[in-house]
Structure formats: structure tokens, C-alpha cells
Amino acid sequence: VDAVLQGCLEWGDLPMAERFLRTTGGWSPYFLNDTPSSRRPWMFRKQYDVIDRLLERYSDKTHYGERRHPEEFAMAFHRRMRGLWGLPPRNVHFTGREDRLEELATRLERTSELLVAGMGGLGKTQLCTEYCYRRFPAGYGLVVWLNAESADSLVADYKQLLRDWTPTPTPTPMEVPVSSSSSASSPSASAGSTAAAAAADKSTEEIIAEVKSRLFRSQVPWLLVFDNVEHPDLSKRFLPRGAGTKGHVLLTARHAPPASADRTLLLGCFPPSESVQLLARIAPRHVSSPRDAAAARSLVETLGNLPLALGTAAAYMRRCDVPCAEYLERYAASEGRRSSSSSSSSSSALPARYGESNEHFHSVASSLALSVNEIEKENPTACRVLRLLSFLGPDLVTKAVIRNLLCERRRVDAVAERRRRDVDRRRSVARATAAVALGIGASGALRLVRRNHGGQAGVVAATALTAAALLFVSQDSFLFDGHSNNQPDTTAPSTPNSFSSFEYEQANLVWDILKSFSLISVKDGKGTIHRLMSQAMRYSQSDEEARGNVTICIDAMRSMWTFKPERPDTWKESQSILEHVKSVAAHSLEYHDLSPEYILRAGQLSKEAGVFSAMSLNAFVEAQASLEMSLKLLDIGAAKRKRNAAFQKAKAETLHELGRVLRYQANYSESEQSLREALQISNRWNTNRKGNDPSVRKGIADTLHELGVLEVKKHNLDTAALFLQQSLDMRRSSDQCTSDDTHANCASTLHQLAAIHVARKPPSLEKAKTLLQESLSLCQQIGQRAATLKQLARVSIRQGFLDKADTYLEHALELYLELYGDNKLHINIAAVKFQQGALALQREQLEEAWNHFSECLRIRL
């Protein structure tokens, strides 16, 4: 600013300097903080006194009163949350929408929350992205971009955001890595392993509350963007309230809720002039001639001025070096072929199926068809991958996902080739056999004719033998067509794929091709495909092709899904494909004629997704939806295969998990109904198998345990003790009672039984102590042992054995420190500190109690 004002004074004196200050907008409160040697301005700043008086005169714009020396500003800068987080890459071809950008800024001055609504393909995300880049850092010191398509995605973003905000090693309340670009402050950048562990071990509600609290206390203006809100009520749980003038919230959605006009900005298609500008900006050489310019005006009208369709068309022109006039001719020819091959009934069904208007959906589908045809000519593999990707989630598309899809595609092709060769071999054998039979039949017929001296009986017999042999030959293809390539492959592995050089090379090539046609946008190695594009790709496939692609996606996700509840190190990798798993399970419901094997696999995947959502993300509503989808798939598969053990066992497991998730939501009645149905199915199969299936018996014991925990929540202690004791007895009688898993499960049940004895009136403390000590003898997991030691300390305190309680707490703290490493901010450590404080208070050791309580409070804050 000093340099600019110095130039104004030299070239136009005070009037020019004042005119610059009057006519320049968008001043940031930080523009004046970079003055060199500000403590001795006479050494480096010419006419500093005149410049400072001018800045002070216009302080309502220049924020002169907030001016800081550079070193002071640097200290304040690093004490605050600042930067760009999760923001998509800026669209270098962004065109028009200037009036909408100005309206966004104006509306956000009057309200702290604004929804940008409009159907798919209008550029809602691009508009908000451009607004963020234009307003940072002048308008906002912090911009956070969140994927709001589901609670799972929001929780995942909040967790990563808190990791990046959590300082290491010494905490300051308002700190975030500083970045001048979106890539440097992306969600993938972690603040450190300690911070990551601290955020990962917090519950979902704690994470949400902490993020909202930090935003509330922020000293810099911030903007929170919730992109692609599918459920209007979903964002309310995550939105900070009472932030005053410091914070703004921007949302994008396809539909605007009723009675929200004052807080909604409706987005429409481009005006024709901006549509032509967009084509010219992306493919300038291809619309430069008068003929191409006229074609561009016709093309934008044909495409309905829809930004997504226009961008796809322009990317095609640039990628294939096709002038706009030629593109228009190709488009017309492609549209003619599409119209002749599609029926009017399917066209009229589009709005119900996709939620978009026929006109705009067809404009996207038609422009996409040209790109797909060109990709098919250049690289058929890329085209196949694009069709497969349409059944997965639109975000977090990676090269690893593409490699797995290619690997499954190659395996399916290899299986089909083996089957084809097997059919050919069988057919060759059949033909040879038939030829021999024909020869024998003809020879026999000739003998009959000779024996009967050409009589009528001999001729009839000969004709019959010959006809039978010929019929056998003609039917060999019918006999062996039953081994068709459409039969399900039951050999697909559920273990991670091993890739050849082909998959790596083709994945890189496919990635580059899809990027060059602007069909995928990429940031930090993660791609996004527009939802409308995916819908158009699915619509373009025949039912048979779509079924085959769904099965490939199912197997690819099974090979990538590594989630193990007892191994937190598998959670992060599984989270990266969670939306893909949920998407392919949902699409499996659309094709009831999938083979039972694939319906079972899809149902099991959906169940795993539900367990993950509940355990890792605490997103219980989404977990319930995934588990209920699993039940629908399993019911469809079971109807095709009556009394199939695999479907019944999978249904019992899913009902068990659903009962647990419903309990987490305090929906005790439905939880009990689900658990009892699971127990009924397991008991029936256990009886049929005469109790010889250990996995079924384990499932029964687990469900009895869960019913016991549910009864504890309902304060039915006697019933709870009955269920838990039955579970414990079944586990102890198991053939695998010496395994580590059985020991851990028994320890968990003993712990719950002890809690019941503590809760009774009067409590049975000695019995609880005995059960906890037995549980401790079975515990091998560090966290489980620490939790049992904490409970033993509570019992010992109530019994008056304070020294023993002190020992238990010290041991529990040592185990937690071993488990969490240098992360001393874990909530479990805070719980131990609280108990130590209560123990010291009971001993009247006030200073020690003060220290323990202070440490507990510091961790929890």
C-alpha cells in the first residue's frame, strides 16, 4: 500500500492518492501490517507522514486503527486459525456470474447463513469456490470447505479438521497451519501423529462441539461452506450458532426448503452471452472464426445454456482439436442416433428417476456421449472404467480405486474366457461323439436296408437312426449354452488385490484421459465426478451391462474393504471408500435379478459399512440406514434361495448390529425387537445343526450379551443379569474358549455383570470386585485392562480401600499412557485424573486434588 500511495503522490500528488483510496474496495485489515521498518519509518518510507495522514483519514476503509508492526502481526497471525482448508482447486475457466458473486457478498452482509440452490450442473460448487478465493484473505481469514452429502462425510471432515487444528506439542487454543494456497492446507495435511490420535479418539459429539467452540472463539472472520447438502436438517447439527458477525455459513443444495426465500440464492442457467464466453475461454481457437462463432451461438441454445454440458463440449473441442462448427455437426448426428434408439417411455421416466428435467439431463447426456465415443476410440479401457465409476460415490475417486476396478474387470474377463474355452472343448467332444454316432447309425441303417432287401421297414429304421444322429449334432450348442458367461463368478476373492504392471499403467492412462476430457476434477490425488455425469453414464448402459458392472464394483469394494473393528489401523483406509461401498450397495437394490451370491456380497458390504459408521464415526443414523439396506438385500437373496444358511446367518448378524445401533440412539423398543429376531434366527439354525457350528453359538452369545446391556440401560437389572450370565456360560462352554477373542468377550461380559452388582441397592461390592478381578485375568487388550482397573478403583473407594484404589488408578494411567503414547489429552486419561482427584479429596489432600482436577479440566477443555 505504501508503494502504491508513494507512486500516486509522485505522479498525481494528493488528488490522485485520495482518488485511489476512495475508489479501491475490498480492503483487508491486514494490508497495512507489512510496512518495512515501521518503527523507524523515516529511514525507508518517503513522505510517510503524508501517507499515514491519508490512511488515517480514510480509516473506515483502510483499517488504519488496526495497524500492527510486522513482528506483532506475525505473533498474532500464528495464534489464530487461519488459511484455506479443503477448498476445491480454483477453476481457471470460471466465467460470468459477476452479479451472483456480488449478490452473495451483499446477502452475507445481512445474514450469517445463505443457501445456494439449483439443479445439478448449474455450477453451484464452482460459484462458491470462486467466491471463497476472491474473498480470502481480504474478507475472511479462514475458509473451511466441507462435504455435506451425508453425516458420514461431514463427521470425517470434522475429524480431519480438528486434527489439523490441534497443535503439537504444546496446545494453543486457536491454531491452524497457515497456507496461501488450498493445496498446502488440504485435509490430508496432518498437524502431527499426536494431534491425529487426539482427534481420532474423541467421540463425534465432542469433535463437533470442539470445532463449533473454536469457531465461536475465533478472532478472525471465517467462512464455513457445506457443499452438496442432501438433507436440510443434517447441517443444523454441525452449524455453529451465536458466532455474531465473525462467521458466515454458505450451503449448496439441489432443492431449497420451503419458507427460506430470504436466506436462499436460486441459481439458473447461463445467459447466452456468458455461455458463449465459457466456450471461448476453454477452447478459444475453436470458436474464433465467424462460422465457429455462429455455431457456438447455436450450440449454447441446443445445450440449454447448462454450464456442465457446455464445459463438457468445450473440453471435447479442445481435447480432440475440433472446431465448434464440426462439433455441432457431430452433436446433431449423435443426438439423431440417440433419439432413434431410445423410446418415448424411457424419456418420460427421466425426471422421476434422476430428479432433473428432461431437457437439461439430455443436454448433459448428449454432450457426454460424444466424449465417451471419442474415449472409446482412443482407449476402450478408459470408457469401461468410466462406466464402472458411475456406480461408485462421486467423490474420493483415486487411482487405487481405478486399479482395483481394472483388476476385477481383468479377472472377470479371464473367467469368461476360461468358460468359453470349456464350452468350446465340450462342444468339440460332443461333435466328435455325434459324428461317430452318425457314422454308426448310418452303417446300421445301411445293414438294415440290405437285410430287408430295401423293404419299407428297413428304410424307416434307417431314416430314424440317421435323424436321431443329426438331431444330436444340431443340439450340441443348446446342451452347452447353459455354461454361459452370464453365470455368476463364485470365486471372487475378498482379500486385497495384487496388481500387475498393466493395472498401474492403465490406471495412470485412464486418469489422464478422464482429466483431459474434464470428466473428473482432481485435487491432492482425489478426483470428483459430477453426479449428473454419473447419472447419465448409468442411463446409457443396458440392464445387462449395468448388472455386470455392479458385480465388478461389488468385488472391487470387497477387495479394498479392510475394516476390522478390533484394529483401528484399518479404519482410515476403509473410511476413504465408505461412500463407494454405500453407493454400490444402493445400486445393487435396483437390480433384483443379480445372482444370489452377489446380493449376499452386497448385503454384507452394506452391513460392514453400517458397523464402520457406528464404531468409527458415531454416525448412528447413517449406520442404521446402511444396516436396513443390508436387510433388504438379504431378504431379496433369501427369497431366491429358500432356507439358505449363508443368508440366514448374515441376517442374524445384521439384526444384531442394528439392535446395537438402535440402543446407541436410545430407541430401546426397536433395539429389543431387532435383537430378539436375531436370537430367534440363530437359535433355529443352532438347533438344525445340533449345536455344532461354533460361529452360530458365538453369534448367540454376542446377542445375549447385547440384550443384557440393553436391559441395563432400561434399569431391568435382574433381566440383564440373566442374559449376561447366559452369554457367559455359552462362551465358557465353547470349543474355542481358550482363544484370545473368547477371553476378551468373556472379560467384557464379566465387566458388565460387575457393573450390575455395583448398581444394585444395596450394592454387592465384594461380588463386583470378584467379577472384575476375573475379568482382569482374562484381559489382554491394553484399553480393556485399563477400563477394568478404573472400575476396580471405584469399587475399592466405595469399600474404603483407598490405597488399593490408588494403585489401581496408577496402573490404569500407565496403561493409557502406553496406549496413547505422547497424547496426554485423551478423554480416558481425563477420567483417571478425575478419579485420582476424587480420591485425594476424600483423603483431604487438597493441593493434590486441585492438581488432578485441574489436569482433568485442561484435557476436557
Side-chain angles (χ1 to χ4, degrees):
V1 172
D2 281 71
V4 173
L5 288 174
Q6 182 65 42
C8 290
L9 290 173
E10 291 179 2
W11 286 88
D13 211 3
L14 278 176
M16 185 175 181
E18 289 187 344
R19 188 164 70 253
F20 166 75
L21 293 173
R22 284 196 309 270
T23 59
T24 301
W27 285 80
S28 165
Y30 313 110
F31 282 176
L32 304 186
N33 294 333
D34 63 348
T35 306
S37 299
S38 60
R39 295 189 185 277
R40 291 179 292 277
W42 55 86
M43 296 181 63
F44 293 97
R45 295 175 58 207
K46 297 179 181 180
Q47 296 180 284
Y48 74 92
D49 51 344
V50 177
I51 292 174
D52 284 354
R53 282 197 299 270
L54 281 171
L55 293 172
E56 186 175 12
R57 185 184 309 167
Y58 294 93
S59 60
D60 57 328
K61 299 181 64 175
T62 63
H63 304 278
Y64 182 79
E66 302 176 36
R67 189 174 198 166
R68 296 288 183 272
H69 295 294
E71 59 271 24
E72 295 173 344
F73 169 63
M75 290 177 62
F77 188 95
H78 288 285
R79 285 199 300 267
R80 298 170 177 174
M81 298 186 301
R82 296 192 54 80
L84 302 173
W85 192 95
L87 196 59
R90 193 170 190 174
N91 184 359
V92 296
H93 300 127
F94 184 85
T95 303
R97 303 291 197 195
E98 295 297 332
D99 56 337
R100 289 307 197 185
L101 289 168
E102 292 178 9
E103 188 175 357
L104 268 178
T106 303
R107 298 277 289 274
L108 284 174
E109 290 176 0
R110 301 196 301 263
T111 180
S112 61
E113 181 181 324
L114 186 64
L115 170 67
V116 179
M119 67 177 191
L122 289 175
K124 301 181 293 295
T125 298
Q126 296 296 329
L127 177 72
C128 293
T129 301
E130 181 66 18
Y131 178 79
C132 292
Y133 279 108
R134 292 194 185 189
R135 297 287 293 174
F136 175 87
Y140 301 104
L142 170 68
V143 177
V144 174
W145 189 282
L146 302 164
N147 179 6
E149 187 170 5
S150 68
D152 286 345
S153 59
L154 271 175
V155 168
D157 278 357
Y158 263 57
K159 279 192 172 185
Q160 186 61 54
L161 179 62
L162 188 58
R163 290 189 190 104
D164 293 344
W165 277 353
T166 303
T168 181
T170 56
T172 56
M174 310 300 293
E175 188 175 44
V176 71
V178 179
S179 169
S180 59
S181 68
S182 63
S183 60
S185 61
S186 68
S188 61
S190 174
S193 59
T194 301
D201 291 322
K202 291 179 179 290
S203 72
T204 297
E205 296 307 321
E206 288 176 321
I207 289 171
I208 295 172
E210 183 161 351
V211 170
K212 291 162 72 170
S213 175
R214 291 191 182 205
L215 289 171
F216 179 83
R217 302 197 309 267
S218 175
Q219 298 301 305
V220 298
W222 51 263
L223 176 65
L224 209 58
V225 184
F226 290 80
D227 187 37
N228 195 37
V229 177
E230 290 290 337
H231 306 287
D233 296 333
L234 182 63
S235 58
K236 295 179 181 178
R237 176 185 172 198
F238 297 86
L239 289 177
R241 299 296 180 186
T245 59
K246 286 292 184 184
H248 290 152
V249 176
L250 197 56
L251 306 96
T252 71
R254 293 191 180 192
H255 307 288
S260 62
D262 56 330
R263 292 188 303 170
T264 301
L265 177 66
L266 293 175
L267 199 62
C269 291
F270 272 156
S273 58
E274 290 185 358
S275 298
V276 174
Q277 288 176 21
L278 179 63
L279 294 177
R281 188 159 190 175
I282 299 176
R285 292 191 305 106
H286 306 88
V287 295
S288 56
S289 70
R291 180 169 177 263
D292 290 327
R297 291 190 291 272
S298 299
L299 179 62
V300 300
E301 181 179 356
T302 303
L303 295 178
N305 295 292
L306 187 68
L308 178 62
L310 293 167
T312 305
Y316 179 96
M317 292 183 230
R318 185 184 60 191
R319 176 66 169 72
C320 301
D321 198 17
V322 173
C324 189
E326 184 179 344
Y327 178 88
L328 187 60
E329 294 173 359
R330 294 186 183 186
Y331 179 92
S334 174
E335 184 66 11
R337 290 191 297 270
R338 284 170 52 83
S339 299
S340 62
S341 63
S342 63
S343 64
S344 59
S345 59
S346 63
S347 176
S348 62
L350 283 175
R353 186 175 181 183
Y354 296 112
E356 312 291 350
S357 72
N358 276 349
E359 177 186 354
H360 291 119
F361 181 85
H362 276 301
S363 67
V364 172
S366 298
S367 58
L368 178 63
L370 281 178
S371 298
V372 171
N373 290 338
E374 195 65 31
I375 294 174
E376 182 77 46
K377 297 175 186 176
E378 181 176 334
N379 189 309
T381 300
C383 198
R384 292 192 203 103
V385 168
L386 187 59
R387 293 190 178 99
L388 290 167
L389 289 173
S390 67
F391 294 99
L392 301 182
D395 302 311
L396 294 179
V397 178
T398 62
K399 290 184 179 180
V401 170
I402 293 177
R403 283 196 296 270
N404 276 274
L405 292 174
L406 288 171
C407 189
E408 289 302 327
R409 176 76 260 181
R410 179 168 59 88
R411 186 186 58 77
V412 168
D413 290 343
V415 170
E417 179 64 19
R418 285 198 302 271
R419 286 177 174 163
R420 185 188 64 76
R421 290 178 181 175
D422 186 53
V423 170
D424 289 345
R425 181 181 60 80
R426 291 166 180 260
R427 185 176 288 131
S428 298
V429 172
R431 285 173 176 166
T433 304
V436 172
L438 180 60
I440 294 173
S443 176
L446 185 59
R447 286 198 204 97
L448 284 172
V449 171
R450 288 175 178 172
R451 186 179 302 168
N452 289 278
H453 305 286
Q456 185 176 3
V459 173
V460 170
T463 303
L465 282 171
T466 306
L470 289 172
L471 180 64
F472 187 80
V473 173
S474 65
Q475 291 299 311
D476 70 300
S477 61
F478 171 78
L479 292 173
F480 294 103
D481 277 349
H483 302 275
S484 69
N485 294 341
N486 295 326
Q487 295 297 312
D489 173 26
T490 59
T491 64
S494 59
T495 54
N497 284 320
S498 58
F499 305 113
S500 66
S501 59
F502 171 83
E503 276 84 24
Y504 282 102
E505 293 169 1
Q506 285 297 310
N508 291 336
L509 186 58
V510 168
W511 188 263
D512 292 338
I513 290 174
L514 296 183
K515 282 174 59 179
S516 68
F517 279 91
S518 296
L519 299 181
I520 185 172
S521 58
V522 178
K523 178 188 175 184
D524 299 331
K526 300 178 181 65
T528 297
I529 298 177
H530 198 282
R531 289 155 182 81
L532 203 56
M533 288 280 194
S534 294
Q535 290 174 350
M537 285 303 302
R538 290 195 297 274
Y539 175 71
S540 68
Q541 301 175 44
S542 67
D543 285 346
E544 183 178 0
E545 182 183 13
R547 280 195 302 272
N549 286 335
V550 166
T551 59
I552 291 173
C553 290
I554 290 172
D555 284 336
M557 292 304 101
R558 286 177 73 234
S559 67
M560 295 186 71
W561 186 258
T562 59
F563 171 62
K564 301 293 181 187
E566 68 279 4
R567 288 182 52 194
D569 58 301
T570 65
W571 294 7
K572 184 176 181 180
E573 184 177 352
S574 298
Q575 183 176 308
S576 67
I577 64 167
L578 176 62
E579 293 303 319
H580 297 319
V581 168
K582 291 164 63 177
S583 177
V584 74
H587 288 303
S588 298
L589 274 177
E590 299 176 11
Y591 301 99
H592 292 181
D593 51 352
L594 284 178
S595 68
E597 288 83 359
Y598 277 103
I599 292 177
L600 177 62
R601 292 173 189 176
Q604 290 171 330
L605 271 176
S606 191
K607 183 205 76 174
E608 289 288 319
V611 174
F612 179 87
S613 296
M615 179 171 287
S616 176
L617 303 177
N618 288 359
F620 301 126
V621 175
E622 283 65 32
Q624 180 180 344
S626 293
L627 292 168
E628 289 173 346
M629 183 182 296
S630 174
L631 290 175
K632 291 179 183 178
L633 286 164
L634 294 174
D635 286 341
I636 293 171
K640 295 185 174 186
R641 289 200 174 172
K642 301 292 185 181
R643 300 184 60 81
N644 184 274
F647 281 100
Q648 294 301 317
K649 182 180 177 183
K651 184 174 183 179
E653 292 173 352
T654 305
L655 286 166
H656 172 89
E657 296 297 343
L658 180 59
R660 181 184 299 182
V661 168
L662 290 168
R663 172 172 64 82
Y664 292 154
Q665 300 177 78
N667 195 341
Y668 297 147
S669 176
E670 292 188 19
S671 173
E672 182 178 1
Q673 180 181 349
S674 181
L675 290 170
R676 287 190 179 276
E677 186 178 354
L679 188 62
Q680 182 181 8
I681 294 172
S682 297
N683 278 329
R684 184 168 61 247
W685 278 100
N686 189 50
T687 302
N688 292 341
R689 292 178 175 264
K690 299 180 180 180
N692 295 327
D693 191 335
S695 63
V696 175
R697 290 177 57 81
K698 179 183 180 300
I700 294 173
D702 290 345
T703 304
L704 287 169
H705 175 94
E706 186 60 34
L707 280 166
V709 175
L710 177 63
E711 292 301 320
V712 170
K713 293 295 182 181
K714 295 162 64 176
H715 305 290
N716 299 329
L717 300 184
D718 291 338
T719 308
L722 180 62
F723 280 128
L724 290 169
Q725 190 62 51
Q726 289 177 348
S727 173
L728 184 63
D729 292 343
M730 182 166 283
R731 282 170 173 163
R732 283 172 169 169
S733 65
S734 170
D735 294 336
Q736 300 175 341
C737 61
T738 58
S739 68
D740 292 344
D741 288 343
T742 304
H743 282 169
N745 291 331
C746 287
S748 177
T749 304
L750 288 165
H751 192 111
Q752 291 293 336
L753 281 169
I756 290 175
H757 287 289
V758 172
R760 290 188 184 278
K761 296 181 180 180
S764 303
L765 297 178
E766 195 60 35
K767 179 63 174 176
K769 180 179 178 181
T770 301
L771 291 170
L772 288 170
Q773 287 175 338
E774 184 180 357
S775 172
L776 194 64
S777 69
L778 297 173
C779 290
Q780 295 185 359
Q781 299 176 0
I782 293 178
Q784 194 176 32
R785 288 186 65 84
T788 304
L789 287 167
K790 280 196 304 179
Q791 187 70 4
L792 272 169
R794 290 194 186 97
V795 172
S796 298
I797 290 173
R798 294 183 66 174
Q799 288 182 313
F801 304 138
L802 303 187
D803 292 340
K804 194 67 175 175
D806 195 16
T807 301
Y808 286 140
L809 290 174
E810 286 292 338
H811 290 167
L813 186 61
E814 290 173 4
L815 289 173
Y816 279 138
L817 290 175
E818 180 183 348
L819 178 63
Y820 303 124
D822 295 332
N823 175 24
K824 299 180 181 180
L825 302 179
H826 194 276
I827 192 67
N828 284 337
I829 295 177
V832 175
K833 288 293 180 182
F834 180 85
Q835 282 187 255
Q836 288 179 322
L839 180 59
L841 188 62
Q842 191 167 341
R843 289 172 163 175
E844 297 185 354
Q845 299 170 345
L846 301 185
E847 184 176 353
E848 187 175 347
W850 175 275
N851 291 335
H852 286 310
F853 284 138
S854 297
E855 182 68 10
C856 172
L857 191 62
R858 185 183 73 83
I859 294 172
R860 290 183 173 176
L861 290 178

